Amino acid sequence: MCANYKPITLEQLQQLELPLVPFNCPDEIYPSYKTPLLFKSEHGLEWREVLFGLVPKWAEDINSSKRAYNARHETIFQKPSFQYAAYKCKFGVIPVTEFYESKYIENKPQRWGVRRKDGKAFYIAALYEICKIENEIIRSAAMLTMDAIDHPMMKEFHEPGDVKRSVVIIPHDCLDDWLSLKQPHQMIQFMQGFPVEEFECLHVPKTKIEKPTPQMNMFDLF
């Protein structure tokens, strides 16, 4: 599952012929940070600045964004936090340059990055929501995940004995189909492992910072 990633760059936006992102975001994204979400409206492709971590319709605060940043696609229609957005087909994508996972080497976690070999950004399937808390409009999103026990690359991540999960990557040529879904259960056809031959993974030690957040500090530095 993904708790840390690099967002799409300006060069990658141009490669994919996407509209410019009309706001700034950090170089790396963690739960509860603001991030660009791409979705489709009656006007075409649009960006929204959202919290990475879904805040449900009935929430009284945004604390859930620190936890609900990944959503198992198998249970989004049953989980109270996700089911309203899922039944309303609030599907979007979070375009990323690379995302990070922990790989255990000699029982120690190392931060590894997953990215496309051709350097292009890629689309991670997302579920988004809009709610109002104390008269403030809150937009938020979670990445959809799937079982990765048989995926050649993703099964190598996470602590030994943990459940193996992977984000869901929407192929470039399927973006419009994904963003145009009208029937919620049609989303199952997109829940497939990404092609390993198009991606690579490598050890990416975290640069030391003065005041790491709990999420930033989960990897040992090598």
Side-chain angles (χ1 to χ4, degrees):
M1 293 183 287
C2 177
N4 175 212
Y5 60 94
K6 283 186 178 294
I8 191 169
T9 67
L10 177 59
E11 180 181 359
Q12 290 171 330
L13 278 171
Q14 295 169 341
Q15 287 177 333
L16 296 176
E17 299 181 344
L18 296 175
L20 292 179
V21 179
F23 47 82
N24 295 321
C25 63
D27 292 336
E28 287 194 25
I29 307 294
Y30 295 85
S32 79
Y33 282 31
K34 290 185 177 180
T35 188
L37 173 92
L38 186 67
F39 74 107
K40 188 175 182 180
S41 73
E42 59 184 9
H43 305 295
L45 294 179
E46 293 189 21
W47 293 103
R48 284 293 184 272
E49 186 178 39
V50 302
L51 294 177
F52 177 39
L54 193 138
V55 180
K57 205 77 172 173
W58 39 263
E60 298 180 353
D61 57 49
I62 64 172
N63 289 335
S64 64
S65 69
K66 299 177 181 178
R67 305 181 301 275
Y69 49 88
N70 289 163
R72 293 177 177 236
H73 83 86
E74 300 94 336
T75 59
I76 58 172
F77 296 104
Q78 290 80 47
K79 294 289 185 180
S81 294
F82 303 127
Q83 63 183 181
Y84 182 86
Y87 278 115
K88 291 292 184 178
C89 288
K90 293 185 178 181
F91 299 124
V93 294
I94 297 177
V96 307
T97 297
E98 64 182 18
F99 66 90
Y100 303 104
E101 298 285 4
S102 58
K103 179 180 286 192
Y104 280 72
I105 309 295
E106 297 180 350
N107 295 319
K108 292 183 178 181
Q110 294 184 2
R111 191 174 83 145
W112 283 59
V114 177
R115 64 190 183 193
R116 286 186 60 90
K117 291 179 179 178
D118 60 11
K120 292 182 179 179
F122 51 97
Y123 305 122
I124 295 181
L127 182 71
Y128 68 91
E129 186 57 281
I130 304 173
C131 67
K132 181 180 287 189
I133 299 177
E134 297 182 352
N135 293 321
E136 181 182 0
I137 300 297
I138 305 295
R139 295 179 172 87
S140 60
M143 293 178 173
L144 294 177
T145 70
M146 59 176 290
D147 179 29
I149 189 62
D150 295 320
H151 192 274
M153 184 180 294
M154 297 303 296
K155 71 179 182 181
E156 300 297 326
F157 296 122
H158 307 138
E159 188 171 358
D162 279 3
V163 175
K164 307 301 181 181
R165 304 289 296 178
S166 171
V167 293
V168 176
I169 296 176
I170 303 298
H172 290 154
D173 59 358
C174 295
L175 177 63
D176 187 68
D177 291 337
W178 169 253
L179 297 181
S180 301
L181 285 180
K182 301 300 182 184
Q183 299 298 323
H185 290 286
Q186 290 179 343
M187 52 87 71
I188 194 66
Q189 64 186 292
F190 295 93
M191 301 299 107
Q192 301 179 21
F194 59 85
V196 177
E197 63 274 11
E198 296 179 12
F199 289 78
E200 62 183 0
C201 63
L202 63 160
H203 183 207
V204 186
K206 179 63 187 173
T207 302
K208 188 175 182 180
I209 58 178
E210 293 183 2
K211 294 181 179 181
T213 66
Q215 291 88 1
M216 291 180 180
N217 201 33
M218 67 182 292
F219 298 102
D220 288 342
L221 300 178
F222 292 86

